[in-house]
Amino acid sequence: MDAIVNSLNNTDNRPTEAEAEEAVRTLLRWAGDDITREGLRDTPKRVVKAYKELFSGYEQDAEEELGRTFEEVAGYDDIVLVKDIPFFSHCEHHMVPIIGKAHVAYLPDGKVLGLSKIARVVEIFGRRLQTQETMTAQVAHSIDDALHPRGVAVMIEAEHMCMAMRGIKKQGSTTITTTFTGAFKAEPHEQVRFMTLIRG
């Protein structure tokens, strides 16, 4: 995945905005619409602008975002949980939305993160083409690598529009994925505590 991100961050490989807008026009024509009609004239420009925002995670570095930690924690070493972090992503197979929420916890080992950094990391990985499984692992491992805590737990719950809008067309179904590291992986009671706090 990092190789994909790095290759996309190389501006030499990217099409120009004009080329991207032309690609949108091609898709609109392929769908069967008239790209000269009033409602579609500015659509290619708007789509490219929207894609810049929707896929801004490729321009951001989770490691850099997590670089600052705090060691003045007055001996606090229990679970830190940020739950119900909303996110929007896009399925890498069909480029349609994934809408969900993430729950992220860690067990500090002498230092902590700013709470907003956890939500920011979810946002960074969410704003890339994703599978839910990959995103869950990316969030957990980026926090694990940056903070070296005693353990990290991540659960993501999401609805995939590729299942709701097309194919099997099952609205309202939710996919749940988890990644555990350290004590959360080795000690079942820590997993239970994580789940209890999420559902409490």
Side-chain angles (χ1 to χ4, degrees):
M1 177 56 86
D2 289 338
I4 294 170
V5 173
N6 290 337
S7 71
L8 285 177
N9 282 337
N10 182 349
T11 54
D12 293 339
N13 294 332
R14 283 194 175 182
T16 64
E17 283 193 22
E19 289 172 316
E21 288 173 18
E22 189 55 39
V24 175
R25 286 187 198 93
T26 299
L27 285 172
L28 290 170
R29 286 198 315 271
W30 178 83
D33 216 322
D34 174 9
I35 61 168
T36 64
R37 70 181 177 83
E38 183 182 13
L40 290 182
R41 277 186 213 137
D42 292 328
T43 295
K45 196 175 292 295
R46 286 192 295 261
V47 169
V48 169
K49 184 178 178 183
Y51 269 35
K52 275 187 181 176
E53 182 179 350
L54 294 172
F55 300 117
S56 60
Y58 289 113
E59 302 291 339
Q60 298 167 312
D61 185 345
E63 184 179 331
E64 185 178 307
E65 190 68 36
L66 292 170
R68 183 159 184 222
T69 59
F70 302 94
E71 295 185 15
E72 291 183 17
V73 295
Y76 185 84
D77 64 356
D78 205 355
I79 194 168
V80 176
L81 168 66
V82 181
K83 67 177 191 174
D84 298 326
I85 304 167
F87 74 89
F88 301 92
S89 192
H90 282 77
C91 162
E92 68 179 31
H93 301 136
H94 302 99
M95 292 185 71
V96 293
I98 301 169
I99 301 167
K101 58 186 176 180
H103 316 288
V104 182
Y106 67 92
L107 292 164
D109 190 13
K111 54 187 178 180
V112 296
L113 291 166
L115 297 177
S116 66
K117 301 294 187 185
I118 295 172
R120 191 79 184 125
V121 166
V122 171
E123 178 87 354
I124 288 170
F125 288 118
R127 290 190 177 271
R128 299 176 182 179
L129 292 172
Q130 283 290 12
T131 66
Q132 185 173 328
E133 297 89 342
T134 299
M135 182 177 166
T136 307
Q138 286 173 329
V139 172
H141 295 307
S142 65
I143 293 170
D144 205 34
D145 291 346
L147 193 60
H148 304 293
R150 289 179 291 118
V152 178
V154 177
M155 174 190 280
I156 292 181
E157 306 176 70
E159 183 175 7
H160 293 245
M161 294 302 108
C162 57
M163 283 182 61
M165 297 169 63
R166 55 158 302 282
I168 197 164
K169 297 186 181 76
K170 295 298 178 190
Q171 294 83 23
S173 63
T174 302
T175 300
I176 296 176
T177 50
T178 58
T179 296
F180 299 106
T181 73
F184 284 109
K185 189 168 190 164
E187 301 172 26
H189 74 274
E190 293 293 3
Q191 285 186 29
V192 170
R193 203 154 67 102
F194 171 67
M195 298 293 189
T196 302
L197 286 168
I198 287 172
R199 302 305 183 198

